[in-house]
Amino acid sequence: MSARTALRGILPAPLMNLVREAMQAPKLWRVPTAEIRTSVLPRVSAADLSELWAHNEHGRQWREDRARIEAALGSPALLGGVNPGDREAIYRIVRTRAPRRILEVGTHVGASTLAMACALARCGDAGHLTTVDVLDVNADDGPWRRVGSRACPRTLAEDLGVGERIEFVTQPAMEALRAAARDGRRFDLVFLDGDHGAAAVYEEVAAATFVLAEGGWILLHDYYPGARPLFPDGRVIPGPYRALQRLRRETPGLSVRPFGLLPWPTKQGSHATSLALVVRA
Ligand SMILES: C[S@@+](CC[C@H](N)C(=O)[O-])C[C@H]1O[C@@H](n2cnc3c(N)ncnc32)[C@H](O)[C@@H]1O
């Protein structure tokens, strides 16, 4: 058990939040200033966001696909995966925007991967998803085994008929992002849910702007506005907020648009979501 996991069991949430902040701040200060390409970032209005939830048809399709995904998994819990309320939001974002190319950082058990791939399948034939994890998520002893999933993400995707849409990459996020930029690959949606440390998110968001198609979306998970709790347990994952705080300070025109409350439940009886977009101010 890591020291951090042990402390989590002992310390109350507010104290644990301070420990997390104290551990991350020096790492963030040490990262050299990153180059960033703000010109590709979109302007997104509140109306653009509410439009995402306006399609009843997409809600109905999500309920059907969620049932299929959970039947394939054999366990709906998906420990460490994106919660079902946020998965519905991600599904509807893909469904509404119909991106041709998606890049995901942080595959884990494939909860968000499968939601996005099933949404792509509803959009037509073209959509493709590249998902990156530092671990081999499809290995025999991959994370899927620890959480009691029926099979690895690749097998689940094949069972759901979306296997051909997904490329699984085992590589640290920054290596994958730099390689994609070098090869001139562009994505209409980049979903960052990998290392949640402030230093890592700082570098990944900056690097993501070099693989983003014009007007594409960078979607963050675990963004806690103001580094304040979003859910009743009082826990905060400060890294993404602190990373964006630095990027905003250094980059005029860069901003963040948190999604706030969703029209459906997310976790711990709340409607709050930690999803947020990196946008042009
Ligand atoms: C919170 S989990 C992702 C959950 C996933 N989106 C889901 O819904 O199942 C974070 C994942 O990021 C991966 N990760 C951590 N640091 C990484 C890095 N530097 N590069 C790539 N993946 C990383 C971890 O191995 C872990 O599987």
Side-chain angles (χ1 to χ4, degrees):
M1 191 194 288
S2 72
R4 198 156 8 142
T5 314
L7 281 177
R8 201 186 302 159
I10 304 165
L11 296 181
L15 224 54
M16 194 58 215
N17 295 339
L18 290 177
V19 171
R20 277 197 202 97
E21 291 266 22
M23 286 166 76
Q24 299 206 5
K27 289 187 195 157
L28 180 59
W29 298 333
R30 279 199 295 271
V31 179
T33 305
E35 211 185 320
I36 185 157
R37 202 169 59 121
T38 39
S39 60
V40 286
L41 292 174
R43 293 183 201 282
V44 178
S45 67
D48 292 330
L49 295 192
S50 47
E51 203 250 327
L52 296 168
W53 321 140
H55 305 275
N56 293 335
E57 179 68 358
H58 297 172
R60 190 188 58 70
Q61 291 172 351
W62 164 245
R63 285 188 289 281
E64 280 176 21
D65 284 340
R66 180 182 170 180
R68 290 171 59 234
I69 292 170
E70 289 180 357
L73 279 163
S75 147
L78 279 180
L79 206 63
V82 169
N83 74 67
D86 284 356
R87 272 188 274 152
E88 173 163 358
I90 294 167
Y91 181 97
R92 282 169 172 251
I93 289 169
V94 173
R95 201 55 200 87
T96 305
R97 293 189 54 81
R100 289 176 67 87
R101 295 278 175 269
I102 302 177
L103 175 65
E104 174 182 52
V105 169
T107 320
H108 189 50
V109 294
S112 45
T113 314
L114 297 174
M116 288 192 282
C118 288
L120 281 179
R122 297 274 191 176
C123 296
D125 290 336
H128 188 268
L129 162 64
T130 300
T131 183
V132 178
D133 204 293
V134 70
L135 301 177
D136 182 357
V137 295
N138 295 307
D140 229 33
D141 59 350
W144 63 276
R145 246 206 220 284
R146 286 198 305 279
V147 308
S149 172
R150 186 185 59 78
C152 68
R154 177 180 282 125
T155 303
L156 296 176
E158 282 162 5
D159 292 352
L160 289 162
V162 292
E164 291 194 349
R165 288 179 185 275
I166 308 176
E167 176 195 12
F168 290 93
V169 177
T170 305
Q171 203 174 26
M174 282 306 291
E175 279 180 25
L177 284 162
R178 286 192 185 115
R182 245 189 341 264
D183 298 345
R185 294 178 72 186
R186 293 288 180 267
F187 299 90
D188 308 298
L189 175 65
V190 178
F191 176 50
L192 296 180
D193 189 25
D195 185 335
H196 292 89
V201 177
Y202 174 83
E203 290 191 300
E204 287 174 17
V205 169
T209 62
F210 289 90
V211 299
L212 199 66
E214 192 77 35
W217 279 12
I218 298 177
L219 180 63
L220 307 173
H221 199 239
D222 295 306
Y223 183 84
Y224 286 64
R228 296 210 178 83
L230 278 172
F231 306 106
D233 67 4
R235 181 170 176 242
V236 173
I237 300 174
Y241 175 77
R242 295 295 174 208
L244 268 296
Q245 193 180 33
R246 176 171 167 188
L247 281 167
R248 284 160 66 186
R249 209 171 41 236
E250 294 173 348
T251 321
L254 182 143
S255 189
V256 184
R257 199 171 255 283
F259 281 81
L261 296 177
L262 295 180
W264 48 82
T266 51
K267 69 180 200 182
Q268 297 171 25
S270 103
H271 284 235
T273 179
S274 65
L275 290 167
L277 287 174
V278 180
V279 297
R280 208 167 340 159

